[in-house]
Amino acid sequence: WKHVGVVDFLIRTGGLDRFADQLAVYHQWPGFFSAAGTITSLVGSRHAVMVAMLAPLFFNFANLVLLHFVISTFTSDRRVKWLALSLFFVTNWIGQDYFSPQAFAFVMHLAVIALVLQRYSLEDRNHIGRTWSPIWSSVVICLLILGISVSHQITPVMLTSSLLLLALTRRAAVWPFFFFSAAANVAWGSTWARPFISDQIGKIVDRAGDVTGNAAGTFRDTSVQSSGQALVSTMGRMTFAVIGILAVIGFLRRWRQGNRDWTAGILAGAPAFALLNNYGVEVVFRVVLFSLPMLSLFAARALAPGMARPWKPLRTLVTVGAVGVLVTGYLFGYYGKERQYYFTPDEREAMVYLQDTAPDHTLLITLTTNYPNLIDRYERFLTVPITNQRADSLNRILDAPVDTMSRWLDNSDYDATYLLISQAQLNEITDVGDVPVERTLDFVRAIESSPRFEPVFQSPAATIYRLTQTEEPS
């Protein structure tokens, strides 16, 4: 929803606002949004919603094609190729295939790796694409690197790390591309994206090298989650563990046979460089995503028989069982949060109400960020999620919800102020467990029963309140 809102801003204003109060990071890495805006305008749509609905189909198809090219540089065995592709898709529950900059950048990352392996590898392989002119290959790779640099923050780190290791180990003649990628990222970060980099540079320096600390935020404490969400988390982690174990077995099997798959191993390990700094709570999942193509290849080598050998019953049974376990984990991981991610028609209608009635300079207070973000003129709103506050501030809010919300909503700096409470937000709090569930429900009940707040929109799944009086009547 918020990505559609940024595309709407770009189409409507014809420009970007890298100093915006909200979502400024998207304006500072606008490559994806510019491309989406161009496509939206070409198809004559008012919003990018239709484009967003088709995005998973496009991204998954592009991933399939590009991964086939990548894996084809390592093996000519069709069974290994298609088993590796299958393992990738039944393990990748991370959900980076939706309408987003990271999905867009991941496709370009795969395209760069495919071209590098097939045109610039120094290993003795049959290279699809040798007929391409070196100049055209270089031009395409450089354009893709530029596209990645202006579209996403983490993907350039993954790509530059991979290029560096391939060059250092002399697996591929990619020193020029490494320097170009590094220069493009430094140039972009020091110019257009400078506001974000300047704001975050202190955190980047402070957390540099703190591998365990940077990774810790990814794995939530299942003891505070609902039983269903704890099961989802466990099954997702199990999927990664299974593909990792199979990959190690496949690597060792090839090693025993005298094959040193250094290039594939480098591409599997290079994304781990992202763990050396602070890239948010999902960094481990991003590392797994970028490692997954090569992990899937090694896992396929562990399961598939050797070249020209038949599938024996035991190997077939083991392969079917392993794929079955991965599919089960994928279903939990990919669909296990639908209770949080599904927005009812009532919740969408609540946001339509705000879009139609709220003036410029509106303050919107929410429980969490889990609601249908505004599409039309999203910059009118400053959104403040309660659960994003520091622990001491959050405790004060939950201790005195009516008084605190009265002060927050009684703000003359804004033309209008609202409080949004919706089912998806409550579902997230209940499932994730980062905030005490009972205290949150007490907060909701206190707001509902207080005469200070008047519902301006009310439905079974969403209520929007405004402040009517700053003190309780005598």
Side-chain angles (χ1 to χ4, degrees):
W1 292 89
K2 60 184 177 181
H3 296 159
V4 173
V6 174
V7 175
D8 166 73
F9 180 95
L10 185 61
I11 294 174
R12 177 167 38 82
T13 66
L16 299 161
D17 182 7
R18 61 194 182 120
F19 298 102
D21 290 333
Q22 295 200 96
L23 306 184
V25 67
Y26 293 148
H27 293 262
Q28 294 173 36
W29 275 271
F32 163 75
F33 300 103
S34 299
T38 300
I39 295 172
T40 301
S41 298
L42 288 175
V43 300
S45 177
R46 180 169 175 262
H47 292 303
V49 173
M50 183 179 71
V51 177
M53 292 174 64
L54 295 174
L57 179 63
F58 167 78
F59 286 134
N60 281 302
F61 178 76
N63 290 340
L64 175 65
V65 172
L66 292 169
L67 281 169
H68 184 271
F69 277 109
V70 170
I71 292 171
S72 294
T73 64
F74 295 100
T75 180
S76 59
D77 189 335
R78 294 179 60 188
R79 296 174 298 181
V80 173
K81 289 182 188 179
W82 289 105
L83 182 55
L85 289 170
S86 301
L87 291 174
F88 175 85
F89 283 99
V90 301
T91 306
N92 182 22
W93 58 261
I94 301 170
Q96 299 298 312
D97 58 353
Y98 64 100
F99 185 71
S100 63
Q102 52 265 40
F104 182 65
F106 183 68
V107 167
M108 290 190 287
H109 170 87
L110 289 178
V112 172
I113 297 300
L115 283 171
V116 163
L117 291 176
Q118 296 188 15
R119 187 63 188 83
Y120 297 96
S121 175
L122 296 176
E123 296 184 343
D124 184 18
R125 295 200 196 97
N126 295 320
H127 298 286
I128 301 172
R130 279 294 190 190
T131 56
W132 265 43
S133 163
I135 295 177
W136 281 111
S137 299
S138 299
V139 168
V140 172
I141 289 175
C142 288
L143 289 175
L144 289 168
I145 290 173
L146 286 175
I148 293 170
S149 299
V150 304
S151 297
H152 198 230
Q153 305 85 48
I154 301 179
T155 305
V157 176
M158 307 294 191
L159 179 61
T160 306
S161 300
S162 297
L163 293 174
L164 175 60
L165 291 181
L166 289 174
L168 285 174
T169 57
R170 299 183 180 181
R171 300 291 105 187
V174 292
W175 276 117
F177 300 126
F178 162 73
F179 287 118
F180 183 81
S181 179
N185 292 311
V186 170
W188 190 259
S190 60
T191 54
W192 188 261
R194 185 175 179 177
F196 177 85
I197 298 297
S198 299
D199 181 62
Q200 297 293 318
I201 191 66
K203 297 177 182 178
I204 293 173
V205 173
D206 289 343
R207 299 193 63 177
D210 184 12
V211 177
T212 56
N214 294 332
T218 304
F219 298 107
R220 295 183 180 275
D221 181 4
T222 57
S223 66
V224 299
Q225 296 177 340
S226 66
S227 57
Q229 194 59 45
L231 176 61
V232 168
S233 298
T234 301
M235 294 296 287
R237 296 174 190 180
M238 176 207 67
T239 303
F240 292 160
V242 170
I243 198 71
I245 292 170
L246 289 174
V248 170
I249 293 172
F251 180 84
L252 294 176
R253 183 187 180 196
R254 292 276 293 173
W255 185 282
R256 190 179 63 179
Q257 295 169 350
N259 299 297
R260 303 295 185 261
D261 296 324
W262 292 119
T263 300
I266 287 168
L267 292 175
F273 272 84
L275 295 174
L276 296 177
N277 221 309
N278 177 24
Y279 292 104
V281 298
E282 296 182 350
V283 62
V284 173
F285 294 153
R286 301 290 174 84
V287 169
V288 171
L289 173 64
F290 282 84
S291 300
L292 194 54
M294 294 302 100
L295 294 179
S296 299
L297 172 62
F298 283 123
R301 292 192 184 280
L303 296 171
M307 182 74 75
R309 293 182 181 179
W311 286 88
K312 294 183 179 180
L314 179 59
R315 183 176 293 275
T316 301
L317 182 62
V318 170
T319 301
V320 171
V323 172
V325 169
L326 291 173
V327 169
T328 302
Y330 170 85
L331 293 174
F332 274 90
Y334 195 85
Y335 296 104
K337 295 184 178 180
E338 290 301 293
R339 201 170 85 94
Q340 302 171 38
Y341 293 160
Y342 173 71
F343 300 132
T344 65
D346 286 341
E347 290 169 283
R348 297 195 294 272
E349 187 62 31
M351 303 317 293
V352 170
Y353 170 84
L354 282 178
Q355 289 183 154
D356 291 343
T357 61
D360 291 343
H361 308 297
T362 291
L363 173 64
L364 177 62
I365 300 171
T366 63
L367 294 178
T368 73
T369 58
N370 194 39
Y371 61 92
N373 287 79
L374 299 147
I375 296 175
D376 288 322
R377 298 172 59 216
Y378 85 88
E379 69 275 9
R380 289 178 291 166
F381 297 86
L382 175 65
T383 305
V384 180
I386 293 171
T387 53
N388 281 11
Q389 307 305 304
R390 297 192 310 269
D392 56 344
S393 178
L394 178 59
N395 281 326
R396 287 196 297 270
I397 294 169
L398 297 179
D399 287 340
V402 173
D403 290 338
T404 307
M405 287 300 100
S406 295
R407 289 196 303 271
W408 284 25
L409 292 173
D410 185 23
N411 193 328
S412 59
D413 292 337
Y414 297 92
D415 295 335
T417 57
Y418 298 101
L419 169 64
L420 169 67
I421 297 175
S422 63
Q423 189 60 53
Q425 296 179 77
L426 292 173
N427 288 344
E428 180 183 26
I429 290 173
T430 302
D431 289 345
V432 175
D434 287 345
V435 180
V437 177
E438 284 304 319
R439 295 187 69 190
T440 303
L441 296 178
D442 289 340
F443 171 94
V444 174
R445 286 189 286 264
I447 298 298
E448 289 176 343
S449 61
S450 174
R452 299 190 198 181
F453 307 101
E454 173 190 18
V456 294
F457 177 93
Q458 193 166 26
S459 68
T463 304
I464 301 172
Y465 294 95
R466 69 177 179 186
L467 183 68
T468 58
Q469 55 193 49
T470 57
E471 296 181 358
E472 297 286 355
S474 301

